[in-house]
Amino acid sequence: MNLENTVVVIDSVVVSADTGKAISGQMRASYTAEKQGVLAKDKLWADGVRAEMLESGATQRDQVIGFLIDGMPANIRTLARYTREEAKQICLSEEQKATRREAKQRIGSQIRKYQNQLTKMAEAAKPAEEVVEEVVEETTEEATEAKTPNQIMVGIIEGFLNDVREAEEWDNAPNITKTGQAFIDALSTATAAQVEAALKEVLSTES
């Protein structure tokens, strides 16, 4: 007898009305959240906020982060507002650290989502002729300025270091940044053998 496609029905288990309310509430909340997301990005656009204004260090990014924190539960709000230095001085518990880390990740994820939405809105708002001209220019630049493997790797490492600087949960961010920058410098000016030697020297000084 083949049991792989056999379905066992247990009639004695019933989804309660109380559980049903929770399920219905979750679905209702998902529709509400979707509508709020559309409203938020439309209002950001109407205010004149563009994707590049949500980069690290921009005033508009700090303002948006403040509003995102305002929407968090009260017990998380305070933790999310702590800077890395403040969190260290207060000596948060492991549970509080985890809660704060999750809050920071939620904020970062929402900021990136806004940036993606605003970028798409900016592209849609451009005249068709301008888009065609930009595509031609980008294609020409790519054809005339082919990147070397070293340059490609430098771009990847720089992107990673930017993420480390923005993610406050990295306790060893200075060491990571130092090592990464040494790698970038070596990639830009040295041979493969020299890159390996530079990395070994940096790692030995950190240990």
Side-chain angles (χ1 to χ4, degrees):
M1 180 178 180
N2 186 2
L3 298 179
E4 289 184 0
N5 298 322
T6 301
V7 178
V8 179
V9 179
I10 304 176
D11 293 331
S12 60
V13 176
V14 178
V15 179
S16 67
D18 190 48
T19 301
K21 288 181 181 179
I23 294 172
S24 299
Q26 181 185 23
M27 178 57 71
R28 188 161 46 249
S30 69
Y31 276 96
T32 301
E34 185 176 339
K35 290 180 181 179
Q36 283 296 118
V38 172
L39 179 63
K41 60 103 173 172
D42 286 346
K43 284 189 171 293
L44 281 171
W45 179 265
D47 283 346
V49 177
R50 298 298 180 260
E52 61 272 15
M53 299 179 188
L54 297 182
E55 293 293 338
S56 183
T59 301
Q60 294 82 5
R61 179 188 177 95
D62 292 338
Q63 291 173 336
V64 171
I65 288 176
F67 289 127
L68 288 173
I69 292 176
D70 287 342
M72 293 180 170
N75 62 318
I76 298 176
R77 212 176 295 152
T78 302
L79 294 173
R81 286 199 174 99
Y82 287 143
T83 64
R84 185 187 303 170
E85 290 73 19
E86 290 172 339
K88 287 182 178 179
Q89 292 176 356
I90 296 172
C91 297
L92 301 177
S93 67
E94 291 303 316
E95 182 179 356
Q96 289 175 319
K97 287 179 182 178
T99 299
R100 178 177 175 276
R101 188 180 306 114
E102 181 185 359
K104 293 291 185 181
Q105 290 171 347
R106 283 176 179 264
I107 291 171
S109 175
Q110 186 59 60
I111 290 289
R112 287 189 293 273
K113 185 174 182 179
Y114 285 147
Q115 285 180 307
N116 291 336
Q117 290 171 330
L118 292 171
T119 297
K120 290 179 181 178
M121 294 172 77
E123 290 295 332
K126 289 181 180 179
E129 297 81 3
E130 185 178 345
V131 174
V132 171
E133 288 178 1
E134 286 191 0
V135 170
V136 172
E137 289 178 0
E138 290 177 1
T139 303
T140 303
E141 289 177 359
E142 290 177 359
T144 57
E145 298 180 5
K147 292 184 177 180
T148 65
N150 278 22
Q151 290 172 326
I152 294 173
M153 182 59 70
V154 167
I156 294 173
I157 296 172
E158 286 178 341
F160 171 70
L161 293 180
N162 287 335
D163 289 342
V164 170
R165 293 187 186 101
E166 292 183 13
E168 296 185 0
E169 68 269 16
W170 288 89
D171 294 330
N172 58 340
N175 287 340
I176 294 175
T177 303
K178 178 182 176 182
T179 303
Q181 190 58 53
F183 197 7
I184 289 173
D185 294 341
L187 281 171
S188 303
T189 61
T191 64
Q194 290 171 322
V195 169
E196 183 178 358
L199 277 176
K200 287 182 178 178
E201 182 179 352
V202 171
L203 293 174
S204 64
T205 56
E206 289 181 0
S207 61

